Each structure stands twice: as structure tokens, then as C-alpha cells.
Amino acid sequence: MDLFSTSMVSLKLDSHRVRFTRYDHTFTSEEAINNLGSLKFSQSNRMPDPKDLSRIVTTTTTTTFSMAKEMAQSVCQRFVDARFVESVDDKALLIFPLKGSLFQLTPKGINILQRFCRRNGITARHVMDVLESPRNTMQLVNLERDTETDKLSHDCTTIEIIFRRFAGQDGPNIKSSISTSDSDSLIDYTSGIVGVKVARERKLLDGKIYSNTFTGKASVDWLMNCSTTVERRETCLISELFLKYGLITMIQDDKQTPNVGTNAHFQPSKYAIYGITERGQRVCGWIAREKTREHATTYGSRGMPRDSSNARLTHILQDPALRLLFREFLQYSLCEENLSFYLDVSGFTTNYHKAEKMGTFNEVDSVRGTLAAAYGLYNAFLAPGSPCELNIDHTLRNSLASRMTKAVGDDESMFNGLQEVVHLFELAQTSVFKLMSSDSVPKFLRHPKYSVILQEHDVDIMGGPRSYSPTQAGPPSIPEHIMSRSARAWQSPPQALR
């Protein structure tokens, strides 16, 4: 994602014509490959002058690297595979050519670029034109990952939360014909709010007509276009978990064998047909859920303690599913930078303490590298005028500005300066934690949309997620509304989930 964003920032993203149509913010395949071949990325940081705080000093850092033409083409292919870019004249083109094609950022690519620019304080005009364009419409599902291994979190509750977006927040994304629902067009996935494309009716080889079905290909397409997955393998894994947890059922496999159920492995084929089970509909809120367990009203949603907002926030930060929901809430509240800063500083300080314990800072290059990471965090979240500037104590802000702008001399003073920076970051992190716990957490728990979801995903008093094993009661049967042509219409979700 960072390599993609860096390459887009360093491209012109100009206007080009294809026949009689002009396309803004586009680039040719040759321009992308040549740009990656000798990539240059400049970033300017604005900070107060340590000798005169009324003056602003701007420092510019330029990073360059090069790669062979074949490698550059391979990297561009990864951008296409991850649905960051697409051909403007051939939407179905999945191969990045050496020359002769015009490309543009997808709504997903623009969303990824926007996050990168906010985090790094990039405000170049040609980039801002893209971010302010009408094509910046995507609200990606930001999948939670293990900070050590980068593996996706895939507990049952997290998968159910992803599934809500996958199925559609406002009901199924019904297409009138099979050809429309199975098309390669990305136009139906510009926002990430509508669910996977489903066919209103589909007649299979067993002679029966099934309502509201989707293909395995449609499943992986939605996950690739509307979430932060970057490779097909992860989309297949998530789809497999939809099957495992009984949210969807296979009606026909890719060999066109009917009534397979949930026992088969997921198949990302346009011939494999799936429907949403009754349990999946309940998870989405399309039909009423069963009465929640009594202890949910005693101990609170997902077992969160009722005694303090600090304890609740700690529970949220430790739980991938809750973190995913909380991040989405903060996005809508326009204060996601608080959570991003808290998590980024946690990663930074964890790496710092590990390196200190291992004696890594005996080498001056390690100190400089860690200081560079600190400057990146400072300029993204704490510097005056930064794109994600946080609301922290004025005295602490001045201390950070003073420390970050001090010139460092010998190696020992540089390490001492790094220690002070880490201490100040930890103080800022504590300040942001208090702000989230006192302001954001109570609003999150009271919000109609999220309070309903939290109550549905209740856990025991220890906070452990409730489990679901599809083998306990056998595979879920194909629901009646899928089997019958005359099935009743799918119900819209409650107003609280809209």
C-alpha cells in the first residue's frame, strides 16, 4: 500500500484522451513503469524554529530508489490485482501491459492513497485534486490484523461484522438479471456500502429457481474491491469462513452439482452458487434475532465492564472485532486519527523497547532510523497544521515541538534525545486514551447502530468471544426463501442499522 501510494504521489496523474473522451487524473502504463524504475519521493515537514517559535522552518526529505523494468511491471501488476488501479478503456483488463494502455485509480486506490497522504502530511496539488474528485467515494472495510504476523483476525465475531457489510447494510444488492450480477464491472462497488451483487432469480440444472443468489467470483470481487485485502488468497479465506460459520451456504458447486450445503470448501468460481442462510440473515439484522442471553443485560455488550470507560476502551483495543467497529464509528465521527495515533505509537514504543533491550541502539544508524520514525509520527499527528492534528494539552504540545526541533550533536545526545521523544509520545498517547475513553467510548456504546450490534455479540463476564461451531447442529439447510420462486421479499434491516 505504501509503495503504491508513493508511486502515485510521484506521478503527474494528468488528463489523457482516449478517442473522444478525456480522462482526468490518469497515467499511462509506460509512465508508471518508468516512474517505479527511478522513483523519487519528496516530503516536506514544517516545524517551529527552535530559536524563534514564531517562525516556521521547512525541511524537505527526498527518498529515491530504482528497480529493473521487469520488476516495475510486476509491481504494477500487483497494483492491478489488489484493485488499486484499473484500465480506463478496458475495465476487464487484468494484465498490466508494458505500453499502450491508460490507467486510473479505483475508488479503493483513492481511499488507500488518502490514508497515506493524511498519515504523511502530503498536500501536493495534483494529489489533492484526486482526493477531492467525485471518484473518492469508497468506505473500505479496514480489516484488523495481528501486529506481529500481519495475519487477518478471523474469530467468529469479527467475521460476522465483516459479513454485515458484505451482505449489505441496507439489504441485498439485487440485480435484475444473472448477466448483470455476474459481470466484471466495478461500478456497483464504488462506496463499499452496498453488498455483494446478487441475482434476483437464477435457474439451476436441477430445474429449480433460486432467489437472491451470488457466485463465488462475486464474493471474492466484493472483498477485493471493498476491503483492505490486497491478494486473492485472503478473499478466499474470508469467504471460506463465511461458510464455516454458517452465514452462507453453497447451492451449487463449480461442477454444477446442486445442494452441496456448507460442508464443501469455498470455490471462487462464477459457476459456484451461494445463498445467505437464515443465520446469516439474522446476523445482518434482516430478520429478527433470537432473544439474547440474560447475562448480556447484566454485564454489557461483549462482556465490557460497566465500572469505567477506561476499562471499556482497554477491552475495545484488545478485541479485533470491537476495534473494527470502533474504528468505523470514529470514521463517521471524523476523529479516527485518535485511534490511529494510539495504535501507531503503541507499535513505535513496543519496537523501541525491544530494540533497547537487545542493545540495538549501540549502533548510531538504529538511533537515527528510530528518530526518523518518530518524526514521521510527529508530523502526521502532532505538528502544527498536520493533516491529522490531535487535540492534546497545550503544554505537552509545546514540549514535543521543542524536543523535536532541537538539533542533536554527538551519538550520546542523539540517544538521550530519542529517550525524551519516546517519553513525550507515551504522555501524548495517555492523553489521547483519556480523550477517547471519556468522549468517544460513551457515544459509541450509545449509538443506535452500534449498540444493537454489540448486544447481539454478547460474551461471558471474562470477555471471551462467543463461539459458533457449524458441526454442533449439522450444516445449516438452504433457507426456504432461496429455494422458492414465490418466497417472501427480503426484509430491510432495522432503521438502527442503516
Side-chain angles (χ1 to χ4, degrees):
M1 291 182 182
D2 285 350
L3 181 57
F4 159 74
S5 300
T6 301
S7 64
M8 293 301 106
V9 168
S10 56
L11 276 172
K12 288 185 178 180
L13 300 178
D14 216 339
S15 295
H16 295 81
R17 283 189 177 276
V18 177
R19 292 178 286 277
F20 300 106
T21 305
R22 189 185 75 171
Y23 295 92
D24 294 329
H25 317 127
T26 54
F27 58 93
T28 65
S29 52
E30 296 97 320
E31 289 172 341
I33 291 173
N34 292 335
N35 179 59
L36 279 173
S38 55
L39 189 62
K40 179 182 289 187
F41 173 62
S42 297
Q43 182 177 359
S44 296
N45 298 322
R46 300 171 68 255
M47 292 186 292
D49 187 335
K51 298 179 180 179
D52 182 1
L53 294 181
S54 64
R55 296 180 63 248
I56 298 296
V57 177
T58 301
T59 59
T60 301
T61 303
T62 301
T63 304
T64 61
F65 68 90
S66 61
M67 64 176 70
K69 190 173 185 178
E70 293 77 12
M71 176 62 75
Q73 183 184 12
S74 177
V75 170
C76 288
Q77 182 63 54
R78 290 296 301 273
F79 296 162
V80 173
D81 295 341
R83 308 291 172 88
F84 294 162
V85 299
E86 63 180 349
S87 172
V88 300
D89 49 352
D90 184 2
K91 301 296 185 182
L93 181 64
L94 299 179
I95 303 298
F96 194 91
L98 283 170
K99 61 181 180 178
S101 290
L102 188 65
F103 283 82
Q104 66 182 358
L105 281 75
T106 63
K108 175 180 179 177
I110 295 175
N111 186 277
I112 296 295
L113 177 62
Q114 183 174 45
R115 289 176 174 275
F116 177 85
C117 291
R118 285 178 176 174
R119 192 171 71 246
N120 292 282
I122 298 170
T123 57
R125 186 67 259 168
H126 75 290
V127 176
M128 297 307 296
D129 287 342
V130 179
L131 303 184
E132 295 168 0
S133 71
R135 300 189 73 248
N136 186 6
T137 56
M138 179 60 70
Q139 298 182 41
L140 287 177
V141 179
N142 291 281
L143 305 178
E144 293 295 325
R145 296 177 180 272
D146 185 279
T147 55
E148 296 291 333
T149 65
D150 201 45
K151 290 183 179 180
L152 290 171
S153 300
H154 57 263
D155 62 278
C156 180
T157 305
T158 299
I159 295 301
E160 288 183 1
I161 291 171
I162 298 171
F163 183 75
R164 287 175 179 271
R165 288 281 295 273
F166 171 85
Q169 293 191 17
D170 294 323
N173 179 20
I174 297 176
K175 301 301 170 185
S176 58
S177 66
I178 295 176
S179 59
T180 304
S181 66
D182 293 344
S183 71
D184 292 323
S185 173
L186 306 183
I187 193 170
D188 295 303
Y189 299 140
T190 57
S191 70
I193 298 300
V194 298
V196 63
K197 292 183 288 188
V198 299
R200 184 182 299 278
E201 292 184 340
R202 191 188 305 262
K203 186 175 182 179
L204 301 183
L205 291 181
D206 60 3
K208 297 178 181 178
I209 295 179
Y210 297 81
S211 300
N212 302 315
T213 58
F214 60 94
T215 66
K217 177 182 179 300
S219 178
V220 298
D221 281 346
W222 187 93
L223 288 165
M224 186 60 80
N225 285 302
C226 302
S227 74
T228 51
T229 54
V230 294
E231 57 183 359
R232 185 179 176 87
R233 177 182 58 84
E234 290 186 337
T235 64
C236 291
L237 168 63
I238 296 172
S239 300
E240 180 78 33
L241 291 169
F242 288 164
L243 265 178
K244 174 184 176 182
Y245 294 128
L247 303 171
I248 64 175
T249 185
M250 182 184 284
I251 301 173
Q252 172 184 285
D253 65 13
D254 58 4
K255 296 180 180 178
Q256 301 185 337
T257 304
N259 298 332
V260 180
T262 56
N263 290 328
H265 289 293
F266 176 79
Q267 298 172 349
S269 164
K270 65 179 180 180
Y271 301 107
I273 310 300
Y274 296 87
I276 297 179
T277 64
E278 182 176 326
R279 179 173 186 274
Q281 293 180 69
R282 294 188 186 281
V283 166
C284 294
W286 296 351
I287 59 178
R289 292 183 65 98
E290 297 175 358
K291 188 177 180 180
T292 57
R293 292 176 294 178
E294 293 182 1
H295 79 257
T297 58
T298 304
Y299 299 115
S301 301
R302 274 190 73 76
M304 283 188 286
R306 291 185 180 276
D307 54 346
S308 75
S309 292
N310 286 351
R312 289 168 177 163
L313 179 56
T314 299
H315 192 81
I316 289 171
L317 295 172
Q318 294 173 349
D319 187 300
L322 288 175
R323 213 164 50 235
L324 192 157
L325 281 179
F326 189 54
R327 184 186 293 277
E328 183 178 293
F329 167 76
L330 293 177
Q331 286 176 354
Y332 291 132
S333 305
L334 302 179
C335 54
E336 184 191 1
E337 64 273 7
N338 290 328
L339 179 61
S340 296
F341 174 76
Y342 183 90
L343 296 176
D344 286 353
V345 171
S346 293
F348 171 78
T349 55
T350 297
N351 291 334
Y352 166 80
H353 291 301
K354 283 183 179 178
E356 186 180 37
K357 188 175 181 179
M358 295 171 61
T360 305
F361 293 133
N362 293 332
E363 301 177 5
V364 66
D365 286 345
S366 297
V367 178
R368 287 174 178 162
T370 306
L371 271 174
Y375 275 104
L377 283 172
Y378 176 77
N379 284 291
F381 295 102
L382 300 167
S386 61
C388 301
E389 188 173 356
L390 301 177
N391 179 21
I392 62 172
D393 179 74
H394 181 70
T395 303
L396 178 57
R397 185 184 298 280
N398 287 342
S399 297
L400 275 162
S402 176
R403 177 63 265 176
M404 298 301 292
T405 54
K406 279 185 181 178
V408 291
D410 55 34
D411 296 350
E412 183 178 355
S413 61
M414 189 183 297
F415 178 64
N416 291 335
L418 175 60
Q419 288 180 311
E420 290 183 40
V421 167
V422 171
H423 174 65
L424 289 171
F425 272 10
E426 289 174 335
L427 291 177
Q429 185 187 37
T430 300
S431 175
V432 170
F433 181 94
K434 291 179 179 178
L435 177 63
M436 288 193 294
S437 67
S438 62
D439 181 65
S440 298
V441 169
K443 293 178 181 177
F444 172 58
L445 297 179
R446 290 195 305 266
H447 193 286
K449 173 180 177 179
Y450 298 101
S451 63
V452 170
I453 299 175
L454 291 169
Q455 289 170 8
E456 291 172 353
H457 292 287
D458 58 301
V459 294
D460 59 36
I461 189 172
M462 299 304 293
R466 62 184 177 83
S467 61
Y468 172 76
S469 175
T471 59
Q472 291 174 352
S477 59
I478 300 176
E480 183 180 350
H481 75 275
I482 293 177
M483 290 291 292
S484 171
R485 174 197 289 269
S486 60
R488 64 181 185 274
W490 290 53
Q491 298 182 34
S492 297
Q495 184 66 31
L497 292 177
R498 291 180 184 270

